[in-house]
Each structure stands twice: as structure tokens, then as C-alpha cells.
Amino acid sequence: MANHIQDHDSTLIGDNEDPHAAIHEPASAAAATSGGRRASASGGPRLRRVSSNGSTISLSNSMRHPSRSYFHRSGHGSNGPMDTNQHTSEEVRDQTAELGTIALASSVRSSSPGLRPNLSAIQSLDGSVAGTSDYGSIPIHPDDSIIPIEEVSEPVTPSPKNFPNEFPPTNVSALTELLRNSLPQENGSFEQNGLDGTATKTVPVAKPRPATTAAEIPYNTPQESTSLFHRSIDTEQYGAIDRLRSDLESQKTRRRPQSNARRKLQQLAEGTRSYIQILTSPKSWNKNAIRKQLSVGLLRCLSAVFIGLLLNILDALSYGTILFPRNDPFGNMEADGITLFYVSTVISQLVFSCGGSVFKGGVGSEMIEVVPFFHKMAFRIVNRVGVENPKSVIGTTITAYAISSILTGLVFFGMGKFHLGSLIGFFPRHILVGCIGGVGWFLVATGIEVSAQLLGSLEYNLPTFRHLVEPDVVFMWMIPLLLSIIVLIVKRRYPQNSFLVPGFILTILAAFYVFVISLDSLDVDTSRKDGWIFDKPPSGVSPFHVYSYYDFSLVDWGAILSTLDIMFALTFFGILHVPINVPALGMATKEDNVDVDRELIAHGVSNTLSGCAGSIQNYLVYTNSVLFINSGGNNRLAGLLLALATIIVACVGMDMIGFIPRMVVGTLIFLLGFDLMLEALYDTFGKMTRLEYATILAIMITMGTYDFVTGILVGIILACVNYVVQTSQKSAIRATYSGQVAHSTVRRHPDLSHFLREVGTQIELIKLSGFLFFGTIVDVENKIRALLEDTTFSERQIQFLILDFSHVNGIDFSGSEAFARINRILSTKRVRMVLSGLLEGSEVKNSLRNNGLWESDNPAELVDDLNSALEFCENEFIKIYNAREAALAKHHRPSSRQVQVTGQNARERSTSADTMFSSPRHRYLATIANTTLKNSTAASDSVSAWNLFQPPLPLLLETFKDVSSGQEDLWHRAAPYFSRKEYSQKTVLYKPGEMSELFIVLEEGLLLVEDDYQQGRHQERITPGTTCGELPFFSTGRRTATVTAETDVVAWELSRERLEALREEHIDVLCELQRIALVLTMERMDANMSYVLVRAG
């Protein structure tokens, strides 16, 4: 007996745990607690079952911890670890089997007193028996019996102590035992006897202490009424005890909700008050903490500021120097472009660091994608104003730049204010990728212009090529081109090294000056004269000289109006960056409170302020922000210091332009251009469809060779074409079924069910889905035309075509016109179109109605849902069946059944028997009807003698003839136990949850069965000659559906009382009824499952 108990008594522990230290619990609790000890199969601890003798049994090695996934950057050659929570089906099956075994074992132990947990399997960490403690031990017996002890009274307020590691008796709850063991034990104890009557071990018993009054307990001692979430209270503060007693759970009184602005103002005021209080109380300062923050925190901030400043300087050299075109009258405006870059960068940095952005270490900078649009605006203004008016051209150009920044900011702000940030996600991403590639092309061309000192734009013709290959020019642009390629290869090889590009650029700068200084024939002035170094800005010129060009009296406002299309294209392209960069930055920095609308508002403020300050667009730079945050700048102070350092460089660092080699700037521009082109072409190769990739190429080529605005328009047009092509490739036909597979849920007489299965080939069901337009309706029309071809139609002559629109969400004019044309084609073959799933007032139904689908000579049939459509077609077939039966019934016995045709929308047609069976389809129906009637008559000949007897005997024989092997005498004995009952229309026979007291055999009328689930409603209809409610009745369960009389009903019922009498008097009849109930339930489950699958298909 003891061995048997030990086999069932076990718990779950890990491989790395001491089996003697596991808490012994019932198996159901062990299953719940063991989940925290499951680890992955690759080195984590496995689950083992510890038997009562201390041995372990390995259960499964396929458990695994949920692992944290990370953001995967798009790109080729990314071989990072795939850390996903993937579980194979075998692992899930193992878990299911294990948990089922544990549940079964738990159930067996809980129901068998002899299978209680055996405490001998549990030992303490030091190897002693589990029951042992400082107070004694509990005896362990082979049969695991426990001798009851006298329960001691509990004190009013126990004081908390460390709980001893011992286990409660079997029949005592764990909570009670913990409360008992938490009491300080005194000298009281008791002895527990074993089975042999001898005293074995002594267990101490706590003596009751006298109750302590509330006055004797300090107010800060934990009590039974002490709050779970305790808050510290100053003992010297007046009224602390009263507050503790009045607010035990530290719950504040609910106040009226305040407005968002008022709440923020209160938080700002409270924070300001707190800071002022701290600053005015020097005695409360922690000098060690202040010293630590200044030494460590400031050092990290300064290192991050240095990295951010270096990036800003490099970006200014690469972006600012090319902000204006190189042709007249914009020559030698590199310093002015750098100034505008610094102004835009400082403004965006201040906005983001002062709380505009959720990213405390976010870095703002100029938007590089604006440069080609700016060049396009400058060229148009030059053509409009003329080169002979340089001041007007430059003043109009920088004014247009500023206005475009204000326009971009207003659009940003409006989208964020009205929560429209999510709309950008609907824009095709490959258009943005193509535009990025076009910008990359432009930067590569600009790099050649800057390095080779071309006076105008790069033209793709033979004279330009000859100039570029001249000996004194070719090395000026080839060297930075090769250097950029080397940097790009190394960068792609080591993408995680953020200091690679700055270090490489500084190395090029140092190597250039080492080369110049080491050669006697070269010096800085000579190199500057030869074009290897930028020209010095004019001496004595202010760093903010660019603002001297702002003269609104010289601005040509007509020229600015002519650039509005470019401004809107620039704005449209600019707003695509924020919803892409912001979520990516949030994932890279593990910021969980990212709000795209908030970031849009911040960008709107920064761009508007930048435009008002006469500068250009800016945005939150992803790469600079990640590097800045990882360098220790994840706080707003670091961002403010970066803005301050950038201002200092902008004010005093303009003279350094005259010492910067052109190859350094050219390398940066080439590197950025190649990087963008690779992002557009290489990183997307194989990840997009051919048409999407072709769209990217078309946008790049158009932007690079012709115009940026035209390139965006080309991309939008190709995206529309791509959408039409991709949508057209997905067929609008969801599924097709014949009437032999798709049946309604109507419970019909067995003869009719057999007849409908045979003639089901004349029903074709086509389920449609999606949006039906000119691209998808062609496939639907071709499918229907294929059914009507002479060869196909001769083999299978359909009579009804059901088109289900349940999953159709829209239709255009071409689609609705196509259905009118399809209906005319069907009418030539005498095929009736049946439409289902069209809601009243829906767009699809109105469109079909407007195209005259129901105004033709052969209008389409319209029913509510798919089940009603199938029921309608079946009713039409049953009409033919009834007509054939009436034609053959002149010399035949009267039928004992009454076949009722269901469906409120069924259209009665009076057709003579001569014309009804004239067509091939009707002759086929007549043949099937004759066969069914012949078989039905043969099966009914043996019971014809009973037709003279009283009901319900004929009804029972007719209903159960196909599912019962019982003879006539069996049903003769069963008939008296059924009673006749009539129900008026709309009477509810029973509802869900009621006890099943009736088994019904329907004689006349129609019953509606409704099952309401969370997924939807399922309906069935019961016709005469069928049964209702058999399974809950014979299984003594509760009703699961609502049954309502759709018409006046006559039914024969077997009640619960009569069933008990039948059990006592005719047990064989009861067994046959139960067997029939199972057969009918199986048939109806098959029918319902078939319909559910057809509906979901």
C-alpha cells in the first residue's frame, strides 16, 4: 500500500534544484507553480518528477522561456540571432499530455483518501526530514495517516516572524498553518502517537497569549487592519495616527477629472515649487550625490555632446555647403548654407530637448532630402527673375526656403493636432524608398559637382564627360569617390560601429594635411588656389551674413507662387519621415511611450520656428539620435548642451571653412548618396514584387535625369497601377461549391434529403470576396461563362447559380454592370441567378439596383443570407418533387406524410406536369423523383396496414423508417406514450438553460431553432417528418437553443414522466429511441458542420 502511494505521490522540480527542497503540494498546484521553473531546451533546467523515495523522473526537455525579441533592421547580410517565441507542435503536445496526466493524478488523489501526499518524500535543505524544525517533528508513517491534535486558540494579533520551513498536516490549509507557525512558540507541546501506539516525535504547540488592547499596540505596528500598501508616516508629525486610521489603504478621495492643460500646469507648478524648495534649502543637499552626479553624469554628457557636435559639423559640411546651387548667382554661398543649417539644427534641438519630443536624447538636424527640392526652386526662380538681378534672385530664393519650412511645419502640426499620424501608414512604402533612391542619385551627382568644381548642374552629355576626365580634374572627384566606396564597404561590414565614419573622415583630413605639409612644392594657399581646399569666407563678414539677403522689397512674390507645387511636393515627402523614423527610434532606444502625434506636433513647432527664423526644414535624425543616446546623452541636459555647443561653433567656427579639403566634403556627400541608393536598390532586392521594384527604379531614374516633382507623380501613378495589378491577381472568387456539398440547415424528411442530395449538381454556389472592380470582375465573369459553355453545360446542366456577397465590401460601376450582363447570359440558358448576403441600403446593393439588375425580364432572386439562398433553391426542387408525386398519385395510396415547403420568399409557380418535365434538366429531376418515390413506396409497403390506426403510429413509422430496424409492433407499443400538442405561431417551446422535458416529433408546421454564440447566430428549421430536442432529452441535459414555432404547429411529444414509464414497461423501446437519437444527432452535426465550413470557406 505504501509503495502504491509513493508511485502516485510526486512533484515537479528542475534539474538544478535539490529534490529535497521542493515544496510538496497536490498535483494541480504543482502544475501551476512548476510553470515558473520551465526553461528552454537549450541548456535550461528540465522539469522532473520527484517520487516519494527521492528519485527523479525526467518529464520533458522541450520547455522554454519566453524570450525577448528585438528590432530587426532591414538589409542583406544580417545574420543576427533569431530570438523568437517559437514552439513546435510536438512541444505543445508534450505540454498537453503532461498537464493532462497531472490533472488526472490530482483528481485521483483528491477522490481517494489513501492517495494523499506523503510527507516522507520531502526533506529540508540540510538533509533532515521535512517535518523537522526547531520545535520538533511530525511522525512519518507508511500509510501516511495523520493523528489529529487538539487545535489551540489563536491570539488576536500575531506578530510577524520568519516562517519555518515545515509543511502543514494534510487536512489543514496552508494559510492556517502559516499563521500558526508565525507565532512565537513557548514551552507547550504535544506528543503524536504512531500506528503502534508509541510516542514517536514531539510537536510544539503555541500557547495562547492574553489579548492585547489597542492602546498597548504602537500605531506603526502591523495589525489585521493595516493597509496592504503601506506608506511611511512621520511619527513626530501631528495627526499622523488619525490619518492612518482614517485612510487605511492610502486611497485618496476621487476628484473630478481636470482638463489636460490644467493638469499639466499644476504638474509644472508643483515641479517648479519642488525645485525652488530644494535650491533654497542647502542643508538638505547631499554633497556626495551632487559630487557623483557632477563627476559621472556630466562626464557622460560631455562625451555625448562631443560626438553630437562632431556629427553636426560633418553634416554641416556635407549638407550646408550644397544648400544652394553652384551656378550664378549662388556661387561661393557655402558659408551661408552652413549658417542656415546651424540655425535649423539649433532650433530643432531646443524644441526636442525642452520637452517637445518624448526622446530625451533626440537629435534634430536639417532634412537632407530638401536639398534637391531647394535646387529645383532656385532654378525656377532664376528663370523667372533673371540672372541679371542677383540680389532679387537670392532674396526670393531664401524667402521661398523659409516659407516652405513654415508650410511643412503647419502641415506637421495639423496632422499631430488632429491625430492624423496613422494616415501616413497607408501611403505605399516603395514610393518613399524610390524617392530616397532619387535623393541618393542627386547626392552622388552633387558630390561630383562639388569635388570637380562644376559651375552648373551635372549634365549627362559628352562635353561634361570630357571635362571630368581631364588630368587636373579627374583626381579631384575620383579620390573622394574611391574613399567613399571604401568607407561604405567597411561600414556595411561593421554596421554596429558608430564611430567608423567620423574616425575615417578625421583620418582623411589629417592625412591630407600631412601630405600637403610634407611636400615642399605644396602648401595650403596653393592647394586652395588649385581647388583642393574651399575658399576662405570674406574677412570681417558676420557668420550670419545670410540674413543680409532678406529684403522683402526685392522679393518676387510671383516667382514664389510659381514654386508652390515644389513646396507641396517637399512637404509631402517630408511628412513621410516622421512616422517611419519615430517608431524605429523608439524600438532602438526601448522607449515604450512613443506617440507619433506628439512627435508630429514637435516637428511642426520646430519647422515653423525655423521658417520664421529664416531657416529651413528639420527633423529628428534616427542615426544621430541613436549614437548620441548610446554615448550617454539620454537626458535633456545633454541635448541643451549640444545646442549650446552648436551655437558656439556657428558663431566662431566659420573661418574653418577655408581649411576644409574638398575631398572630405565630397567623400561625405558620395557616402551619403551611395548609402541611400543601396538602401533603395540593394536592401529591397528580393523583398518586393517585381512591379514594386520597377516602380523604385522608375522614380530614381525620373528624379535623377529629369525632375523630382515629376518623379513623385510617376511613383504615385505606378503605385496605383501596381495596386490594380496586385489586386487583380487575387481572385474575387473565395470558393465554389455544388449543391451536393452545400446544403441548408433545414431538417427535412429523409426522402426529401435523399432527393436533394441527388439533384444538388444543378446548384452552383460561388462565394465572392473583397472589392469587386474592373480588375477582379473579369475573373468572375470568365468563371461563369465557363460553366455555360456547351461542352461543360451538356455534362452538368445547372439550374441555379448562387452568388454570395457576404464577404464583398464594395463594387464599382464596372463590377455592377458586369453582373447585369452575366444575368442576361444566364437567362439564355434558363439559369436563375440567386444573390445572397446583400444588406438593405448597402453600397453594393444600391449599385446593382442602379444598373438594372432587377429591372430585366429575368430578374435575379434576392435572399437575405446564404442559408436562405440554399433553402430557396431546395424548395424549388421540392416543388418539382411534389408535382411528380401528385402526377403519380392518381392510382397510388395516399401518402402518410405531409411535405411542407419552407421559406417566406419562395415564389409559387403553377406549372403543368406536361411542361414541367419537358427540358433535359427537368427530365433529370423527374427521373430522380421517380427513383426516390419508388424507394419510398417500397419501404412503406410493409407498414401500409398500420395507416388505418390512430396517430402517431403512421408518423413514427414514416419518420424512423430509415434510421430504425424495429418492427411495427415495437412502434405500436411506443405510440401510446406520445401525446398530441398544438402550438400557435411565434410560440416559444423552450429556451437555453431550461431542463429538457420533451422529445418532439413534428407532424405539421415549421419550427425555428436558434443557437446564439459569441461568434454569431446559427439557425435551423425543422419540417414535418423530423424530430426536435432528442439529444438533451435522452441525455438529461439542459437546452442549448431557442425553439420557436414559425407557423401553427402540430407535434407529438414524449414527456419526461412518460419516458420513465416507458423505461419500466418497455425497455427495448427506450433503447431503440436512444439509439435513434444518437443517429439523428450524428446526421445533424454532419449537416451543420458542412454548412459552417461552406459558409466560412
Side-chain angles (χ1 to χ4, degrees):
M1 179 65 181
N3 295 333
H4 179 70
I5 296 174
Q6 291 177 359
D7 290 340
H8 286 79
D9 184 30
S10 60
T11 187
L12 297 178
I13 67 172
D15 278 348
N16 299 330
E17 300 179 28
D18 188 354
H20 304 298
I23 296 178
H24 194 89
E25 298 175 341
S28 57
T33 59
S34 64
R37 296 193 292 268
R38 294 179 178 173
S40 64
S42 60
R46 299 181 304 166
L47 286 180
R48 297 180 297 162
R49 186 176 297 280
V50 181
S51 63
S52 57
N53 57 9
S55 62
T56 61
I57 304 173
S58 178
L59 291 181
S60 175
N61 59 358
S62 60
M63 306 301 175
R64 53 183 295 167
H65 281 305
S67 55
R68 184 183 298 274
S69 60
Y70 62 95
F71 179 69
H72 296 275
R73 298 287 302 276
S74 62
H76 290 265
S78 178
N79 298 323
M82 296 298 293
D83 190 8
T84 59
N85 295 331
Q86 181 177 356
H87 298 274
T88 63
S89 58
E90 290 78 5
E91 291 176 347
V92 179
R93 299 296 91 75
D94 291 343
Q95 283 187 347
T96 303
E98 178 187 336
L99 294 175
T101 303
I102 295 173
L104 180 60
S106 174
S107 177
V108 172
R109 279 198 295 271
S110 62
S111 61
S112 302
L115 297 181
R116 292 169 180 164
N118 189 353
L119 295 179
S120 63
I122 310 301
Q123 297 181 1
S124 61
L125 290 174
D126 57 0
S128 59
V129 180
T132 305
S133 67
D134 295 337
Y135 314 120
S137 59
I138 297 177
I140 307 301
H141 301 284
D143 61 351
D144 200 26
S145 61
I146 302 299
I147 299 177
I149 64 175
E150 182 180 358
E151 184 178 358
V152 297
S153 61
E154 292 184 27
V156 177
T157 305
S159 60
K161 299 289 184 181
N162 294 330
F163 299 139
N165 295 327
E166 60 178 341
F167 299 92
T170 305
N171 295 328
V172 180
S173 67
L175 180 59
T176 303
E177 193 63 22
L178 287 176
L179 293 175
R180 289 180 181 177
N181 292 337
S182 66
L183 304 177
Q185 306 297 323
E186 299 183 10
N187 296 329
S189 63
F190 71 92
E191 291 185 353
Q192 182 171 350
N193 297 330
L195 292 177
D196 54 359
T198 62
T200 56
K201 296 179 181 179
T202 303
V203 178
V205 179
K207 292 184 178 180
R209 296 186 304 176
T212 305
T213 61
E216 298 175 355
I217 303 176
Y219 76 92
N220 57 354
T221 301
Q223 306 291 318
E224 292 182 352
S225 59
T226 301
S227 62
L228 295 177
F229 300 94
H230 181 67
R231 63 177 181 181
S232 60
I233 300 177
D234 189 1
T235 58
E236 297 180 359
Q237 188 174 357
Y238 178 77
I241 300 179
D242 295 336
R243 286 197 303 274
L244 176 63
R245 292 173 177 173
S246 62
D247 190 10
L248 295 176
E249 297 294 340
S250 299
Q251 295 177 354
K252 299 180 180 180
T253 305
R254 180 176 297 179
R255 301 176 182 177
R256 294 183 59 185
Q258 301 177 352
S259 63
N260 190 26
R262 184 177 181 181
R263 178 172 54 83
K264 290 185 177 180
L265 289 176
Q266 289 183 355
Q267 292 177 354
L268 180 61
E270 292 176 0
T272 305
R273 192 184 304 112
S274 176
Y275 282 117
I276 293 175
Q277 184 177 2
I278 293 174
L279 293 176
T280 56
S281 303
K283 294 182 179 180
S284 63
W285 294 355
N286 189 332
K287 297 181 180 180
N288 294 330
I290 294 175
R291 188 180 302 110
K292 183 178 180 181
Q293 290 293 331
L294 290 177
S295 60
V296 179
L298 186 59
L299 182 61
R300 289 179 58 86
C301 284
L302 291 179
S303 64
V305 169
F306 174 76
I307 297 298
L309 182 61
L310 178 60
L311 293 175
N312 284 344
I313 293 174
L314 294 178
D315 290 342
L317 295 177
S318 56
Y319 303 162
T321 55
I322 62 174
L323 195 60
F324 295 96
R326 292 188 52 81
N327 58 335
D328 291 335
F330 302 105
N332 299 325
M333 290 190 66
E334 291 87 354
D336 297 325
I338 292 176
T339 299
L340 293 181
F341 171 86
Y342 281 138
V343 172
S344 178
T345 299
V346 169
I347 291 176
S348 63
Q349 190 64 54
L350 290 175
V351 171
F352 297 148
S353 298
C354 290
S357 174
V358 72
F359 302 102
K360 299 178 182 179
V363 175
S365 182
E366 176 199 335
M367 192 181 300
I368 181 59
E369 288 81 6
V370 304
V371 175
F373 293 94
F374 282 171
H375 284 203
K376 181 67 177 178
M377 285 193 288
F379 292 148
R380 184 172 295 183
I381 292 173
V382 169
N383 295 332
R384 177 70 179 265
V385 179
V387 184
E388 62 276 6
N389 299 314
K391 292 185 178 180
S392 178
V393 170
I394 296 176
T396 304
T397 301
I398 60 175
T399 302
Y401 286 5
I403 292 176
S404 67
S405 181
I406 295 175
L407 179 62
T408 302
L410 293 177
V411 173
F412 271 133
F413 186 85
M415 293 184 64
K417 186 65 176 179
F418 296 102
H419 307 286
L420 301 178
S422 60
L423 294 180
I424 303 176
F426 295 97
F427 189 80
R429 186 64 56 87
H430 60 281
I431 294 183
L432 176 62
V433 175
C435 294
I436 290 175
V439 173
W441 184 317
F442 167 81
L443 291 176
V444 172
T446 305
I448 297 176
E449 296 171 6
V450 172
S451 301
Q453 301 186 72
L454 297 180
L455 296 179
S457 300
L458 179 64
E459 297 180 0
Y460 304 97
N461 51 33
L462 187 58
T464 303
F465 176 75
R466 290 175 178 175
H467 174 71
L468 291 177
V469 296
E470 292 178 359
D472 57 342
V473 177
V474 64
F475 291 103
M476 298 184 68
W477 64 272
M478 281 297 297
I479 292 176
L481 179 64
L482 294 177
L483 290 175
S484 65
I485 294 175
I486 294 174
V487 177
L488 185 63
I489 294 175
V490 178
K491 180 183 176 183
R492 289 266 168 170
R493 181 65 178 84
Y494 303 100
Q496 303 299 329
N497 194 339
S498 303
F499 299 95
L500 179 64
V501 175
F504 199 91
I505 296 300
L506 294 178
T507 302
I508 295 175
L509 180 63
F512 176 83
Y513 275 100
V514 168
F515 182 78
V516 170
I517 296 174
S518 62
L519 296 180
D520 296 334
S521 59
L522 292 178
D523 56 17
V524 176
D525 294 333
T526 305
S527 299
R528 185 181 298 114
K529 183 179 180 181
D530 293 338
W532 290 94
I533 301 176
F534 283 100
D535 295 332
K536 284 184 178 181
S539 59
V541 178
S542 170
F544 301 96
H545 173 261
V546 66
Y547 287 98
S548 63
Y549 295 117
Y550 277 101
D551 188 353
F552 294 108
S553 62
L554 300 177
V555 173
D556 190 334
W557 298 102
I560 292 179
L561 290 177
S562 66
T563 61
L564 282 179
D565 58 333
I566 305 177
M567 293 183 185
F568 280 108
L570 171 58
T571 302
F572 172 77
F573 185 68
I575 62 177
L576 298 178
H577 281 275
V578 178
I580 297 174
N581 288 347
V582 168
L585 183 59
M587 298 185 70
T589 59
K590 297 180 176 58
E591 175 60 55
D592 299 328
N593 299 319
V594 176
D595 185 1
V596 176
D597 294 324
R598 173 182 175 179
E599 303 301 325
L600 285 171
I601 292 176
H603 281 72
V605 173
S606 65
N607 280 273
T608 303
L609 292 178
S610 180
C612 293
S615 188
I616 56 178
Q617 287 87 343
N618 52 70
Y619 74 129
L620 191 67
V621 185
Y622 172 81
T623 53
N624 292 10
S625 298
V626 172
L627 180 59
F628 187 73
I629 293 173
N630 293 338
S631 301
N634 193 19
N635 56 78
R636 302 199 183 278
L637 177 60
L640 295 175
L641 291 177
L642 176 60
L644 178 60
T646 306
I647 293 174
I648 295 174
V649 171
C651 293
V652 302
M654 284 300 174
D655 291 337
M656 72 173 64
I657 298 177
F659 297 92
I660 297 175
R662 286 185 181 271
M663 69 169 57
V664 173
V665 177
T667 302
L668 286 171
I669 297 175
F670 279 129
L671 177 62
L672 182 59
F674 286 136
D675 206 4
L676 294 180
M677 291 182 67
L678 286 177
E679 181 181 348
L681 297 178
Y682 181 73
D683 292 346
T684 59
F685 185 77
K687 298 180 180 180
M688 296 184 177
T689 63
R690 294 181 178 179
L691 190 55
E692 289 176 339
Y693 197 79
T695 303
I696 294 175
L697 289 176
I699 294 175
M700 285 184 57
I701 295 174
T702 305
M703 287 185 171
T705 59
Y706 184 69
D707 182 65
F708 263 76
V709 178
T710 306
I712 293 178
L713 294 177
V714 169
I716 294 176
I717 294 173
L718 291 179
C720 296
V721 175
N722 184 25
Y723 173 78
V724 172
V725 173
Q726 289 185 344
T727 308
S728 301
Q729 290 177 351
K730 184 178 180 181
S731 176
I733 300 177
R734 186 182 180 95
T736 59
Y737 303 97
S738 69
Q740 291 181 318
V741 177
H743 308 284
S744 68
T745 58
V746 178
R747 303 183 189 178
R748 301 186 186 272
H749 189 275
D751 293 343
L752 298 180
S753 299
H754 175 73
F755 170 73
L756 293 175
R757 282 193 297 269
E758 294 295 329
V759 301
T761 56
Q762 295 193 9
I763 299 177
E764 180 70 12
L765 167 63
I766 298 179
K767 294 177 64 65
L768 305 175
S769 64
F771 186 83
L772 304 179
F773 68 108
F774 59 89
T776 57
I777 197 63
V778 176
D779 185 39
V780 178
E781 186 172 356
N782 291 337
K783 174 67 175 179
I784 297 175
R785 287 180 179 271
L787 293 174
L788 302 179
E789 290 182 356
D790 294 339
T791 305
T792 305
F793 195 75
S794 61
E795 296 176 355
R796 181 189 170 202
Q797 298 183 355
I798 62 174
Q799 187 170 351
F800 294 97
L801 176 64
I802 302 177
L803 299 176
D804 183 48
F805 287 79
S806 301
H807 296 88
V808 174
N809 50 37
I811 189 172
D812 69 346
F813 177 78
S814 300
S816 57
E817 188 180 47
F819 282 109
R821 182 169 59 253
I822 290 172
N823 189 37
R824 292 193 297 269
I825 297 173
L826 293 175
S827 62
T828 60
K829 296 287 187 177
R830 297 184 179 273
V831 178
R832 300 170 63 181
M833 178 189 290
V834 182
L835 306 182
S836 65
L838 292 173
L839 300 179
E840 185 63 35
S842 64
E843 177 186 354
V844 178
K845 185 176 181 180
N846 292 336
S847 180
L848 294 174
R849 180 186 292 111
N850 294 336
N851 279 274
L853 186 59
W854 290 284
E855 296 177 359
S856 60
D857 297 334
N858 185 31
E861 306 289 347
L862 181 63
V863 291
D864 295 335
D865 51 36
L866 177 60
N867 191 30
S868 299
L870 293 170
E871 184 180 350
F872 170 81
C873 298
E874 292 171 355
N875 290 342
E876 295 299 311
F877 287 139
I878 293 176
K879 292 178 183 178
I880 299 175
Y881 180 90
N882 290 340
R884 190 59 181 172
E885 184 181 25
L888 299 176
K890 295 180 179 179
H891 305 287
H892 198 272
R893 60 173 178 83
S895 176
S896 60
R897 62 179 177 273
Q898 299 180 15
V899 177
Q900 178 164 338
V901 178
T902 64
Q904 298 179 356
N905 297 327
R907 185 171 56 194
E908 299 293 338
R909 300 193 177 195
S910 58
T911 308
S912 63
D914 295 335
T915 60
M916 179 170 290
F917 307 109
S918 58
S919 66
R921 283 171 293 187
H922 286 167
R923 285 196 295 269
Y924 173 76
L925 293 177
T927 302
I928 300 299
N930 291 338
T931 303
T932 305
L933 290 171
K934 181 179 179 180
N935 295 335
S936 175
T937 304
S940 302
D941 287 341
S942 59
V943 299
S944 58
W946 297 100
N947 289 336
L948 301 177
F949 287 85
Q950 293 295 325
L953 181 57
L955 178 63
L956 296 179
L957 292 171
E958 188 70 22
T959 302
F960 302 134
K961 64 179 181 180
D962 288 345
V963 294
S964 174
S965 59
Q967 300 298 324
E968 294 84 346
D969 58 343
L970 183 141
W971 297 111
H972 183 266
R973 287 182 285 132
Y977 294 91
F978 287 83
S979 59
R980 189 175 186 274
K981 187 66 177 294
E982 296 183 0
Y983 296 97
S984 60
Q985 187 178 7
K986 297 184 179 180
T987 301
V988 178
L989 277 67
Y990 51 79
K991 299 179 180 179
E994 297 179 357
M995 292 301 300
S996 53
E997 301 293 338
L998 296 174
F999 169 56
I1000 300 173
V1001 180
L1002 188 61
E1003 182 179 5
E1004 294 181 4
L1006 191 66
L1007 294 178
L1008 174 63
V1009 182
E1010 294 178 297
D1011 292 277
D1012 288 326
Y1013 302 99
Q1014 293 183 352
Q1015 299 87 344
R1017 173 174 294 184
H1018 180 72
Q1019 292 183 346
E1020 297 179 73
R1021 285 180 172 81
I1022 301 176
T1023 58
T1026 56
T1027 62
C1028 178
E1030 60 276 358
L1031 184 60
F1033 179 76
F1034 288 107
S1035 63
T1036 65
R1038 293 184 179 274
R1039 299 296 185 184
T1040 59
T1042 301
V1043 176
T1044 308
E1046 278 202 322
T1047 61
D1048 293 338
V1049 167
V1050 176
W1052 291 87
E1053 301 176 345
L1054 177 62
S1055 63
R1056 179 69 60 187
E1057 294 79 7
R1058 302 298 295 170
L1059 177 67
E1060 295 300 328
L1062 185 63
R1063 186 192 308 275
E1064 295 293 335
E1065 300 173 3
H1066 303 287
I1067 188 64
D1068 58 334
V1069 177
L1070 177 60
C1071 293
E1072 183 65 15
L1073 286 173
Q1074 290 177 338
R1075 191 189 65 81
I1076 291 174
L1078 294 177
V1079 174
L1080 294 177
T1081 301
M1082 180 188 67
E1083 292 179 352
R1084 287 162 186 171
M1085 288 183 64
D1086 291 342
N1088 288 331
M1089 180 60 67
S1090 175
Y1091 172 74
V1092 169
L1093 293 177
V1094 168
R1095 181 181 178 184

